[in-house]
Amino acid sequence: MHPHPQQEGIWLRFLSGPDVEELGIGQAEIIDAVEQVVAAHGRGETVFEPRTHLVPDNGGIGHFNVLRGHVATLGEHGVSGVKVVGDFVPNFQLGLPSELALLTLYDPTTGVPRAIIDATFITEARTGAMTAVGARHLARPDAGILGHVGARGTAFSNVTMLDALFELDEIRVTSRRPESREAFADQLRAATDTPVRVVDTAAEAFDGADILVEATRLTEPSPLLHPGLVKPGAFVVPYGTISAVSEDLLDVMDKVVVDDWREARSGRFGALRHHVDTGKLSSETLYAELGAVVSGQKPGREKPQERILLWHRGLSILDVAVGHLILERAERGEVGTMLRYR
């Protein structure tokens, strides 16, 4: 199972979903790994390629995202990685997560593959961690009400990681299907003492909230998140694949931050795709990339009344950073299956 270092051939480590679970990586560790790689991105210590899409001829039920990145600050020589993640909304009908992912990690000095990892958990956790890192720098420190729309895979990480960083008074949740929002609320109540309230509409979840997270699974664009719901001082995170954002939302924002401007401009999908395509969001109206804020090059929140929006598409370098954290832990604990490559 675990070849001796002198054994012939090249071997790589396969980490299944249960292997990753067994390692018990904590949320705080994931948030730290994500914050460090976002700062590295701000300092230019990553090589980052915008995602590409593979859209099979399958009647529009889903597509694949291909993410590629390199982080120079990990390990001895840095780590390169490629993640393929499906986005298949009807998967719940089959009892499957809508986003199933596979990550491969490589030695950037030789091209030798180091690991194949079930990245379904990584995708969910790094997305929640990005929301949390953004909130740490851009939300009001005294934020008390979180409104979360959507019960997709990343929702649990979004809410629980934010709950760990802020002294929340209330968590409001809703989603399109009543059964999924109730199940999500039950899952949250088992994980936190913060009161969780299920509401029927996005407007009820968002109205007057201090942190607004839009993680819907729309099939057609619909303006669920609009200026009337965003109070002064609010922090807004929209990242539905199909936009749930009104055309005039950015009119009330004091600062708009993205994870990566090249990523924001690429691809066919994303919450603010229309705003980029029509020029409402441009290099002139953009305040900063989050890396510039986290690395200290630009201030984050400067005034309590500022309305700030963070649009994060999900960066490949986050997957590489969290994947590397998992791989190092697995190597130390000899977890996983060694596969002969050649």
Side-chain angles (χ1 to χ4, degrees), residues 38-40 42-43 290-298:
V38 170
R43 293 190 298 265
L290 186 60
V293 174
V294 175
S295 62
Q297 297 167 51
K298 290 193 90 164

Side-chain angles (χ1 to χ4, degrees), residues 217-286:
R217 310 292 284 149
L218 299 181
T219 50
E220 295 290 329
S222 176
L224 301 177
L225 179 53
H226 57 78
L229 300 172
V230 183
K231 72 174 186 180
F235 173 56
V236 180
V237 186
Y239 64 78
T241 303
I242 306 296
S243 181
V245 173
S246 71
E247 199 160 326
D248 57 352
L249 181 70
L250 300 191
D251 296 351
V252 300
M253 291 298 156
D254 296 293
K255 287 174 178 164
V256 177
V257 177
V258 297
D259 50 3
D260 183 272
W261 180 230
R262 276 198 308 153
E263 178 72 88
R265 284 175 294 163
S266 75
R268 295 161 43 175
F269 303 106
L272 300 185
R273 170 92 287 112
H274 179 71
H275 300 74
V276 173
D277 292 346
T278 57
K280 267 198 179 263
L281 181 58
S282 66
S283 52
E284 285 74 43
T285 61
L286 180 72

